[in-house]
């Protein structure tokens, strides 16, 4: 059910979560001050309580009251990438953030979205927690239809069209004085170099250790269809009569049906259509699809490949 921004603010202040467009993906928003509503967000998504939420604010100054130490490194990166698809995990002062939001950690995640509708809403409601508006484990929602598929057509959603970026924010954390990426995202690691003077290291998730980003523990972004990854060279036989997810500038002659993610040299287009395409496989009842994984290991492609790999995991 489509609602206006004013209605969304009313719902949120009453304690009813609503879905909200951001430039990355749609978020499932609840007020940071409404604990029952935050619980509803976890329930609606089927999200484990040890997976913390991102707090969305309108300005960096709104973060000051949650945290004891914002150094010049913070202000530098904040000024360069906010508002935008970046999330910073910061140490918090005791009892400033509800435990269920930060899952009992000594840190919390903060983001200032760029989408004007999300900005407007936060100005009306104050800080919002917003996980991606999808059932836990499924591809994130990048349109109203996706929200309705996961939460039903009566679920309140602000229509902001198709999400511009199509991939979640890049999450960074400060470790021994340097920012590290704990979730790759819509901002590629190279884009930080001009501001930080170094390329932030991408922290690899190690199941044996307690993760820097708890969400990385879980299966993610996955359609019901099983995804097999392939590289097109000499693969005609493999994809013969199969459903293929690929690129419009490549030929997959033997395929039975092809879903196009965009042109292979247009990572922005691939990013913005990835989740919608994975969701269409389920919509069309496809049980197994072969996804062309022959993409470079640079820039935004790295995030895209990480999402595809996660989406293709069979277990976990
Ligand atoms: O683009 C985005 O970030 C979207 C839009 C709606 O803003 N939101 C989003 O939220 O992707 P969610 O809940 O789907 O993913 C948040 C990730 C999870 O992997 C969670 O574990 C991590 O952020 N996170 C949250 N708080 C954290 C903390 N204190 N320390 C480490 N990771 C944290
Ligand atoms: Mg998510």
């Amino acid at each position: 059910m489509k609602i206006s921004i004013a209605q969304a603010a009313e719902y949120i202040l009453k304690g009813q979560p609503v879905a909200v467009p951001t430039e990355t993906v749609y978020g499932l928003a609840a007020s940071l001050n409404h604990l029952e509503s935050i619980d509803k967000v976890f329930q609606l998504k089927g999200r484990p309580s040890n997976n913390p939420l991102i707090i969305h604010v309108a300005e960096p100054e709104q973060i000051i009251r949650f945290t004891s130490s914002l150094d010049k490194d913070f202000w530098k990166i904040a000024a360069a990438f906010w508002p935008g698809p970046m999330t910073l995990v910061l140490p918090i002062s005791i009892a400033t953030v509800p435990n269920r939001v930060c899952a009992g950690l000594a840190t919390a995640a903060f983001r200032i979205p760029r989408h004007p509708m999300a900005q407007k809403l936060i100005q009306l409601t104050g800080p919002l927690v917003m996980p991606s508006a999808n059932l836990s484990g499924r591809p994130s929602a990048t349109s109203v239809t996706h929200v309705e598929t996961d939460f039903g057509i009566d679920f309140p959603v602000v229509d902001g069209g198709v999400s511009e970026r199509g991939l979640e924010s890049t999450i960074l954390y400060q470790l021994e004085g340097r920012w590290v990426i704990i979730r790759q995202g819509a901002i590629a690691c190279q884009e930080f170099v001009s501001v930080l003077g170094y390329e932030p290291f991408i922290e690899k998730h190690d199941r044996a250790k307690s993760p820097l980003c708890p969400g990385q523990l879980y299966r993610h972004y996955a359609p019901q269809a099983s995804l097999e990854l392939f590289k097109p060279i000499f693969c005609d036989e493999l994809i013969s009569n199969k459903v293929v997810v690929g690129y419009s500038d490549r030929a997959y002659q033997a395929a039975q049906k092809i879903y196009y993610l965009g042109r292979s040299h247009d990572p922005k287009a691939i990013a913005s259509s990835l989740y919608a395409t994975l969701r269409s496989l389920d919509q069309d009842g496809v049980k197994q699809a072969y996804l062309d994984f022959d993409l470079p290991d640079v820039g935004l492609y790295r995030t895209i490949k990480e999402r595809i790999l996660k989406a293709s995991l069979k277990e976990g």
Side-chain angles (χ1 to χ4, degrees):
M1 178 180 53
K2 291 185 189 174
I3 56 167
S4 67
I5 297 173
Q7 285 170 314
E10 261 177 56
Y11 274 111
I12 286 172
L13 295 172
K14 275 195 311 210
Q16 158 73 53
V18 301
V20 177
T22 85
E23 72 280 19
T24 57
V25 297
Y26 276 69
L28 195 57
S31 166
L32 182 64
N33 298 320
H34 211 301
L35 297 185
E36 281 156 37
S37 182
I38 295 170
D39 286 343
K40 278 191 211 160
V41 164
F42 278 95
Q43 282 155 19
L44 278 163
K45 280 183 63 83
R47 183 178 178 110
S49 60
N50 63 355
N51 191 6
L53 304 176
I54 300 173
I55 301 170
H56 295 67
V57 295
E59 290 164 6
E61 286 69 21
Q62 291 178 324
I63 297 173
I64 295 172
R65 74 178 165 97
F66 298 104
T67 162
S68 44
S69 54
L70 291 177
D71 58 11
K72 64 176 190 330
D73 259 20
F74 165 83
W75 292 104
K76 194 162 75 173
I77 199 169
F81 294 100
W82 275 341
M86 174 183 77
T87 294
L88 297 181
V89 170
L90 302 167
I92 44 170
S93 310
I94 292 169
T96 50
V97 173
N99 253 330
R100 62 198 83 189
V101 170
C102 59
L105 300 170
T107 56
F110 296 90
R111 173 160 115 81
I112 304 181
R114 177 176 284 278
H115 196 294
M117 289 175 156
Q119 286 252 339
K120 180 83 216 287
L121 188 61
I122 297 168
Q123 275 153 19
L124 295 173
T125 58
L128 294 175
V129 292
M130 274 205 262
S132 50
N134 55 279
L135 297 173
S136 246
R138 295 271 166 253
S140 300
T142 56
S143 73
V144 167
T145 316
H146 299 162
V147 174
E148 290 177 346
T149 305
D150 283 13
F151 301 110
I153 50 165
D154 292 330
F155 194 80
V157 49
V158 177
D159 186 0
V162 171
S163 311
E164 182 197 339
R165 301 296 194 114
L167 295 173
E168 300 78 359
S169 60
T170 305
I171 307 184
L172 296 105
Y173 175 71
Q174 228 177 6
L175 209 58
E176 289 154 13
R178 278 169 92 90
W179 293 102
V180 296
I181 292 178
I182 58 173
R183 179 181 73 181
Q184 296 186 71
I187 304 178
C189 51
Q190 289 93 329
E191 293 180 59
F192 292 98
V193 176
S194 61
V195 175
L196 299 180
Y198 60 91
E199 187 175 307
F201 181 74
I202 300 171
E203 194 64 25
K204 291 276 176 302
H205 168 57
D206 176 355
R207 270 181 188 270
K209 286 197 281 182
S210 87
L212 284 174
C213 184
Q216 300 296 86
L217 273 175
Y218 300 102
R219 185 156 192 249
H220 257 98
Y221 321 115
Q224 260 130 18
S226 101
L227 289 181
E228 315 296 332
L229 308 186
F230 77 101
K231 300 203 171 173
I233 299 176
F234 308 125
C235 265
D236 269 9
E237 214 162 288
L238 184 73
I239 61 167
S240 168
N241 239 356
K242 298 288 199 291
V243 172
V244 163
V245 180
Y247 311 98
S248 50
D249 52 341
R250 293 187 186 163
Y252 309 96
Q253 263 138 9
Q256 178 215 50
K257 181 171 181 183
I258 307 164
Y259 290 78
Y260 291 110
L261 291 168
R263 293 169 73 79
S264 64
H265 33 253
D266 189 353
K268 282 191 174 159
I270 299 171
S272 75
S273 66
L274 179 63
Y275 293 146
T277 306
L278 297 182
R279 282 172 172 270
S280 343
L281 296 174
D282 290 343
Q283 215 68 48
D284 298 348
V286 173
K287 296 280 173 270
Q288 186 190 43
Y290 284 73
L291 194 152
D292 181 350
F293 198 56
D294 193 9
L295 295 172
D297 275 315
V298 290
L300 194 56
Y301 285 115
R302 294 178 73 178
T303 306
I304 293 167
K305 290 179 87 171
E306 189 261 349
R307 298 299 196 266
I308 292 174
L309 270 175
K310 280 242 166 83
S312 71
L313 283 181
K314 301 285 184 256
E315 89 319 329

